[in-house]
Amino acid sequence: MEVTLDNLKEKEKGIIRQIKDENLALQMLTMGFILGEEISVERIAPLKDPILITSGTNYISIRKSDAQKIEISKIN
Amino acid sequence: MLLVGNPNTGKSSLFNALTGLNQKVGNFPGVTVDKKSGSFSIKNNKVKIIDLPGTYSLSANSEDEKVTQEYVEKATGDEIIVVVADATNLKRNLLLLTQIIDLGKKVVLVLNMMDLLQRNNHEIKVQKLSMLLGIPVIPLNSRIGKGIEELKYAIANYQSKSTKFIEQKTSSNVIDETMLRYNKINQIVNECLIVNGEDKLAILTRKIDNILTHKVYGYLIFLTLLFLIFQAIFSWASYPMELIENGFLFLGEKLGNALPDGMLNDLIVNGIIAGLGGIVVFVPQITMLFAFIIILEDTGYMARVSFLMDRILRSFGLNGKSIIPLLSSTACAVPAIMGARTISNVKERLITIMVAPLISCSARIPVYTLLIALVIPKESSWGIFNVQGVLMMGLYLIGFVAALLSAWVMKMLIKSKEKSSFMLEMPIYRMPRWKSVGIEIIGKVKVFLFDAGKIIIAISIILWGLSSYGPSDEFEKIEVKYANIEQSDNSEELQSQEASEKLEASYAGIIGKTIEPVIKPLGFDWKIGISLVTSFAAREVFVGTMATLYSVGDEDNTTTIRQKMMQAKNPNTGGKLYTKATTYSLLIFYAFAMQCMATLAVVYRETNSIKWPIIQVVYMGLLAYFSSLIVYTIFS
Ligand SMILES: Nc1nc2c(ncn2[C@@H]2O[C@H](COP(=O)(O)OP(=O)(O)OP(=O)(O)O)[C@@H](O)[C@H]2O)c(=O)[nH]1
Ligand SMILES: [Mg+2]
């Protein structure tokens, strides 16, 4: 199912498909979040913002506004 | 030789291991925000080495990353770039490496944190990696310095096949280029990294985070931690403090008796010894404060606090990353303001810099402690809480709230369209290295003592001069007047009366008297006025100034500054000078006013304009003045 990253609940996973914002895409890439790889949501702060996400050995925080630009396909 | 790499990979640890220096190390990304050079020797040859801020790529965002980018691009043929990679996160770390290789620079790859890789039971085929990349690869553990000799050897005998990592950039799009790099890196990592089982360290970290970043417990734990730190600083530290206080009193008394009477005696005993004693006494508290902050920084908890606070801080025009400078401002605003470089949004960084000095720093501790003791007896308590401690905590809280509110006002005033984000890497939790924690604390306490000490001695001498001399005819008149009376009555009281009249007529007195009308509404007299002037250099000077001003007439040096101030009388009412109203008003003044040259200098440097430090002095000054006015009016 194609959704944006902010729709995942804690501990849910997906595959990174596309990042609309070019700067964000580049920043995510350099921090180890690569298109086509698995991404999961570890923790959602109160008010759903920010969130902690992981991909492989990378583990970072990101704001909801950025998460909304990251398109993923959800894995069940 | 340059040390480059992703943030938090151990570059500064390696720098320290090589040079023997004590560059700051900590477990969160962005500890190093500026270049730092040192040197070491390989077989009698001196090698210059520069530690740089960490960066994820050569397309930099924030001020600290730009420094690194510049150094890498300018690196000449003689400079070797040592890329320090976290061996437990190979793939991402190799990205930056391949970018640097393609710039045609001389590169050595250091695989740091080999101990952690081994603990995870993973393995890297080093030789194969070196062959595939065409550069020397050195496995290393910079915490204990294992692998340093091999690194030195590789540098002394540098050779590489200078090949490009990816062929001539086929597309101009950076994203495609980066994906191309990752594809190739993936192949290499698949060949060189042997993964046996799960990543134990990451799993442990997630488990700890389940509690520490929890929606409810996360915040509770953070608040409890802050409260514990306060309890520790303001109750446990009181025992060693009393010892030191009595020690200095003893020293002052002995010296006072040994030296010949007169002005010089006054200067040494009452100005310098009392002033220094007034600072040294706070070493236990400041040591504890530094220790707590360093431990929080070393474990990896700071990044979590940033995560917890981002949403709240954002509404005030700040960023989650601002919490690291703000918390470390409780120790000292100077390094904290430099630490704001990691905030890439210009407006958020500026606001962080502007409000950080409102957070009560360690230099306020001496002032707060002295003043609180004037109006609240040590023993008084509310239930289990010591009232002095609660008041102290209240002052810190007020500073924090004032910082947030000022930030909010600035958010409204400063216009910016720049996008703001909060992408922060969460490092794995680590045990602090106690030895280096100890070294760092000692270093910081030394700076506190010596920097403060120098200013205190300098100001004591100037102040002594200013308060011992005055426009000559005034002084003579007083001398003549008392000489006449003294013939009949030579009591101690009279002598002290003469001295205090002289002080009033001295240059220092004239300065104090000049500003007295302005500060009178706040409940301050001209003596406090003098100390406000001297405190502009640094807040700690307050204690020394008070010591000098109130020493007048005390010939035996048997009372502490606190006792002298408690006995001080208001000449108009005849009552105590330091009433609740005056003392609270003074406390608030010191909480808010911008009285620190070092901070102003660093704000000037970091903002690159004289405008911001001036605005800072003015807004904090106005805030201090009117808050004190309100407090004084309420309590009197
Ligand atoms: N286990 C282990 N920890 C290490 C090693 N090297 C560094 N560390 C720890 O990793 C953390 C980061 O170290 P730093 O030296 O501050 O890293 P840095 O690369 O200078 O970080 P920035 O300046 O933020 O880019 C600290 O907690 C170090 O104690 C190592 O070889 N093994
Ligand atoms: Mg560093």
Side-chain angles (χ1 to χ4, degrees):
Chain A
M1 191 176 53
E2 304 287 317
V3 289
T4 51
L5 184 62
D6 58 304
N7 288 301
L8 291 196
K9 296 194 180 68
E10 279 177 10
K11 311 291 170 199
E12 286 186 337
K13 289 182 168 55
I15 305 281
I16 311 175
R17 291 297 175 209
Q18 201 196 345
I19 301 175
K20 289 258 182 66
D21 177 329
E22 191 145 312
N23 278 328
L24 178 66
L26 189 60
Q27 215 179 344
M28 291 288 284
L29 268 179
T30 58
M31 292 182 96
F33 289 73
I34 305 166
L35 297 178
E37 297 202 351
E38 200 175 286
I39 187 169
S40 73
V41 171
E42 282 295 319
R43 174 65 80 193
I44 300 174
L47 300 173
K48 291 196 146 192
D49 197 10
I51 58 178
L52 292 180
I53 55 176
T54 64
S55 174
T57 41
N58 303 295
Y59 182 24
I60 68 167
S61 70
I62 184 175
R63 283 190 184 156
K64 190 176 164 186
S65 57
D66 283 334
Q68 282 164 342
K69 294 176 192 154
I70 300 173
E71 291 174 9
I72 56 155
S73 28
K74 196 169 157 185
I75 307 175
N76 293 316
Chain B
M1 174 178 154
L2 303 175
L3 286 176
V4 178
N6 284 177
N8 212 38
T9 54
K11 297 175 292 299
S12 302
S13 306
L14 179 57
F15 177 86
N16 291 346
L18 281 168
T19 61
L21 295 174
N22 288 312
Q23 164 83 318
K24 186 169 171 55
V25 165
N27 190 20
F28 61 91
V31 177
T32 310
V33 291
D34 204 356
K35 58 183 189 292
K36 159 99 182 181
S37 47
S39 68
F40 64 99
S41 50
I42 305 179
K43 290 192 199 121
N44 300 326
N45 286 327
K46 210 170 146 194
V47 181
K48 192 179 169 219
I49 174 173
I50 303 177
D51 183 23
L52 290 165
T55 182
Y56 293 104
S57 72
L58 293 178
S59 43
N61 282 304
S62 53
E63 290 299 316
D64 54 334
E65 291 175 309
K66 281 179 195 154
V67 174
T68 305
Q69 186 180 14
E70 214 167 276
Y71 266 85
V72 169
E73 278 166 2
K74 280 193 193 144
T76 60
D78 321 320
E79 285 175 290
I80 297 179
I81 300 182
V82 174
V83 174
V84 181
D86 176 351
T88 64
N89 194 353
L90 199 54
K91 206 196 283 182
R92 188 195 70 199
N93 278 262
L94 289 185
L95 179 68
L96 176 68
L97 173 85
T98 69
Q99 289 177 337
I100 296 174
I101 290 178
D102 284 351
L103 286 178
K105 309 287 179 190
K106 284 185 173 177
V107 189
V108 173
L109 173 63
V110 163
L111 294 175
N112 196 23
M113 318 238 179
M114 287 306 283
D115 53 321
L116 301 181
L117 192 78
Q118 277 153 13
R119 217 170 334 142
N120 271 338
N121 231 339
H122 298 178
E123 212 181 296
I124 294 176
K125 291 182 190 159
V126 175
Q127 276 184 344
K128 184 154 205 181
L129 185 62
S130 168
M131 203 191 70
L132 290 171
L133 292 169
I135 56 165
V137 177
I138 315 292
L140 211 137
N141 174 350
S142 58
R143 267 197 171 185
I144 58 170
K146 200 173 148 200
I148 296 272
E149 288 312 314
E150 288 81 349
L151 175 63
K152 284 186 179 176
Y153 182 84
I155 287 167
N157 306 287
Y158 185 81
Q159 42 177 279
S160 73
K161 307 178 289 169
S162 61
T163 50
K164 289 254 166 183
F165 184 75
I166 52 171
E167 284 318 310
Q168 209 50 48
K169 288 161 194 162
T170 40
S171 69
S172 56
N173 185 323
V174 250
I175 293 181
D176 292 345
E177 185 200 311
T178 311
M179 284 306 290
L180 205 64
R181 286 183 194 282
Y182 268 129
N183 284 338
K184 209 166 158 201
I185 290 171
N186 255 334
Q187 291 167 14
I188 293 177
V189 170
N190 284 339
E191 277 186 66
C192 299
L193 178 69
I194 306 167
V195 175
N196 304 312
E198 56 199 0
D199 190 340
K200 287 183 213 126
L201 294 164
I203 291 172
L204 178 65
T205 291
R206 306 288 146 78
K207 273 193 186 145
I208 299 175
D209 272 345
N210 274 339
I211 307 165
L212 294 187
T213 63
H214 189 273
K215 290 176 178 61
V216 182
Y217 309 134
Y219 292 92
L220 280 181
I221 290 170
F222 180 49
L223 288 179
T224 314
L225 211 62
L226 288 185
F227 185 75
L228 275 181
I229 293 176
F230 266 95
Q231 273 298 309
I233 294 175
F234 299 112
S235 60
W236 304 344
S238 62
Y239 305 102
M241 285 173 73
E242 244 163 66
L243 269 175
I244 297 174
E245 196 169 33
N246 290 331
F248 267 90
L249 211 54
F250 179 77
L251 185 70
E253 208 183 322
K254 280 276 171 279
L255 262 176
N257 293 338
L259 294 170
D261 268 357
M263 286 294 204
L264 194 66
N265 185 326
D266 246 17
L267 167 67
I268 293 176
V269 176
N270 295 317
I272 297 177
I273 301 275
L276 285 182
I279 292 303
V280 176
V281 82
F282 296 100
V283 166
Q285 286 185 331
I286 281 150
T287 309
M288 279 189 181
L289 181 65
F290 286 147
F292 281 118
I293 298 222
I294 293 169
I295 291 170
L296 289 187
E297 287 176 347
D298 256 24
T299 50
Y301 186 57
M302 281 297 195
R304 277 68 186 187
V305 178
S306 298
F307 170 74
L308 290 173
M309 300 300 284
D310 178 59
R311 189 60 255 259
I312 302 166
L313 292 178
R314 205 186 313 165
S315 359
F316 294 97
L318 298 164
N319 187 292
K321 290 182 188 173
S322 308
I323 198 72
I324 300 176
L326 292 184
L327 275 183
S328 66
S329 281
T330 56
C332 176
V334 174
I337 283 169
M338 289 188 67
R341 286 186 189 183
T342 57
I343 302 167
S344 57
N345 182 291
V346 177
K347 179 177 168 183
E348 289 171 347
R349 171 163 175 246
L350 186 62
I351 297 181
T352 307
I353 291 174
M354 291 299 282
V355 303
L358 279 174
I359 306 286
S360 288
C361 63
S362 55
R364 267 115 156 173
I365 293 179
V367 183
Y368 288 173
T369 310
L370 178 63
L371 289 176
I372 288 175
L374 292 181
V375 285
I376 310 275
K378 203 171 139 211
E379 304 76 27
S380 60
S381 65
W382 291 331
I384 54 165
F385 301 114
N386 175 292
V387 181
Q388 286 191 351
V390 171
L391 202 60
M392 188 72 108
M393 193 156 168
L395 282 162
Y396 271 77
L397 212 62
I398 284 175
F400 193 73
V401 171
L404 283 185
L405 293 180
S406 312
W408 185 81
V409 172
M410 287 179 215
K411 174 193 167 188
M412 293 300 164
L413 293 178
I414 304 173
K415 293 276 167 271
S416 160
K417 286 203 175 78
E418 190 186 358
K419 181 180 173 260
S420 154
S421 73
F422 176 63
M423 290 169 78
L424 180 67
E425 191 181 346
M426 299 289 130
I428 62 163
Y429 287 103
R430 286 179 225 267
M431 276 305 273
R433 299 129 305 123
W434 299 109
K435 198 180 140 207
S436 49
V437 170
I439 293 173
E440 203 182 330
I441 294 174
I442 293 171
K444 290 209 155 150
V445 171
K446 259 194 201 155
V447 170
F448 174 82
L449 274 181
F450 291 130
D451 284 10
K454 268 185 278 180
I455 298 175
I456 286 166
I457 293 181
I459 294 205
S460 293
I461 293 173
I462 295 171
L463 188 66
W464 172 74
L466 288 179
S467 52
S468 309
Y469 299 96
S472 51
D473 54 330
E474 283 291 320
F475 255 55
E476 268 164 30
K477 262 188 235 159
I478 297 171
E479 264 164 30
V480 171
K481 175 178 150 199
Y482 278 90
N484 290 336
I485 316 174
E486 265 163 26
Q487 282 165 354
S488 52
D489 172 13
N490 197 357
S491 70
E492 220 171 81
E493 199 180 323
L494 205 65
Q495 275 178 19
S496 89
Q497 215 174 349
E498 177 184 357
S500 80
E501 260 184 56
K502 270 188 178 169
L503 179 63
E504 221 173 313
S506 71
Y507 291 112
I510 292 170
I511 296 173
K513 283 281 180 189
T514 313
I515 54 175
E516 194 175 26
V518 184
I519 55 176
K520 200 155 195 169
L522 314 183
F524 305 161
D525 70 346
W526 56 277
K527 281 187 185 173
I528 298 177
I530 296 173
S531 70
L532 292 185
V533 173
T534 57
S535 292
F536 194 75
R539 297 173 177 94
E540 312 88 303
V541 174
F542 175 78
V543 181
T545 305
M546 283 298 167
T548 308
L549 295 181
Y550 283 101
S551 67
V552 176
D554 174 35
E555 296 299 330
D556 325 321
N557 309 310
T558 47
T559 47
T560 60
I561 309 163
R562 185 174 60 245
Q563 288 161 330
K564 285 174 191 157
M565 287 173 73
M566 267 180 180
Q567 289 156 8
K569 294 265 181 296
N570 181 332
N572 299 332
T573 62
K576 264 192 185 178
L577 178 63
Y578 291 90
T579 57
K580 275 208 161 72
T582 294
T583 311
Y584 289 156
S585 161
L586 196 53
L587 278 169
I588 290 292
F589 194 90
Y590 271 84
F592 292 159
M594 177 73 231
Q595 301 158 297
C596 179
M597 284 300 193
T599 303
L600 286 173
V602 78
V603 172
Y604 170 65
R605 219 175 58 214
E606 293 295 297
T607 58
N608 225 334
S609 102
I610 190 78
K611 177 176 146 199
W612 295 110
I614 290 176
I615 294 179
Q616 204 167 31
V617 171
V618 172
Y619 102 82
M620 288 176 69
L622 291 176
L623 184 64
Y625 189 89
F626 288 103
S627 310
S628 291
L629 186 63
I630 293 169
V631 167
Y632 185 68
T633 316
I634 292 174
F635 282 93
S636 57

